[in-house]
Amino acid sequence: MTSIGRIEFKSLGKDNIGYLTPIEASEDIPFAVERIYYIYGVPADVRRGFHSHKDLKQVLICLNGSVDILCKTPYEEETVTLDKPNIGLFIGEMVWREMFNFSEGAVLMVLASRHFDENDYLRNYEQYINLAVDYFGGNK
Ligand code: T46
């Protein structure tokens, strides 16, 4: 899917001493990071998200455990499993997302390109689709 991408960060170390993943924000993240938040303690049967952002880029990293991320536009759809702390999922603007299948102890960290702004959310799917068709110009 063109509006999302996988980012592999370094994983320094080995099994007998453990691992360290550095993120050099200006080199490893394709935008200037303005906000960090994390989601945790989510029961296995809960689905979160159900929205898009008009003007926000994010990178999602599952620091512990695993979680599935459904990403969707009017033209494409992909579900990505995040289960390694050195793998990031980039999500661009105007992508509908739902997060589900949180494992026990899952911690989902998100690096965001802007400060929190509820006005940037599209939480109504019909409204999202109408704007997204215009945004993507009928192209994938
Ligand atoms: C996203 C996915 C991956 C804040 O006050 N500040 C914040 O920085 C954020 C992210 C949320 N909030 C408030 C807004 C709601 O009252 O926290 C509450 C829960 O947020 P929401 O229901 O939007 O959470 P999720 O898990 O559905 O979505 C979150 C992000 O909001 C969203 O941007 O892309 O994670």
Side-chain angles (χ1 to χ4, degrees), residues 39-59:
I39 298 166
Y40 50 96
V42 182
D45 59 348
V46 167
R47 211 170 166 107
R48 300 182 62 114
F50 297 99
H51 61 256
S52 170
H53 286 280
K54 290 180 258 185
D55 184 17
L56 184 73
K57 298 180 179 75
Q58 302 196 105
V59 171

Side-chain angles (χ1 to χ4, degrees), residues 35 37 39 48-49 51 53 56 58 60 97 99 110 116 118 121 123:
R35 177 168 51 110
Y37 61 91
I39 298 166
R48 300 182 62 114
H51 61 256
H53 286 280
L56 184 73
Q58 302 196 105
L60 283 59
R97 82 281 322 263
M99 301 89 78
V110 183
F116 176 70
E118 185 58 44
Y121 284 72
R123 294 188 184 274

Side-chain angles (χ1 to χ4, degrees), residues 6-11 21 28 84 86-88:
R6 183 181 185 273
I7 302 175
E8 182 164 352
F9 304 111
K10 284 180 196 154
S11 183
T21 291
D28 297 328
K84 292 186 182 68
N86 68 317
I87 298 297

Side-chain angles (χ1 to χ4, degrees), residues 40 50 62 67 100 132 139:
Y40 50 96
F50 297 99
C62 191
V67 58
F100 59 105
N139 298 314

Side-chain angles (χ1 to χ4, degrees), residues 58-101:
Q58 302 196 105
V59 171
L60 283 59
I61 304 165
C62 191
L63 295 181
N64 187 56
S66 65
V67 58
D68 290 339
I69 317 288
L70 167 71
C71 298
K72 200 168 164 178
T73 70
Y75 309 104
E76 294 178 288
E77 180 173 328
E78 189 171 332
T79 297
V80 176
T81 298
L82 291 177
D83 58 1
K84 292 186 182 68
N86 68 317
I87 298 297
L89 173 66
F90 169 85
I91 304 182
E93 293 92 347
M94 294 301 287
V95 175
W96 186 265
R97 82 281 322 263
E98 296 171 22
M99 301 89 78
F100 59 105
N101 277 345

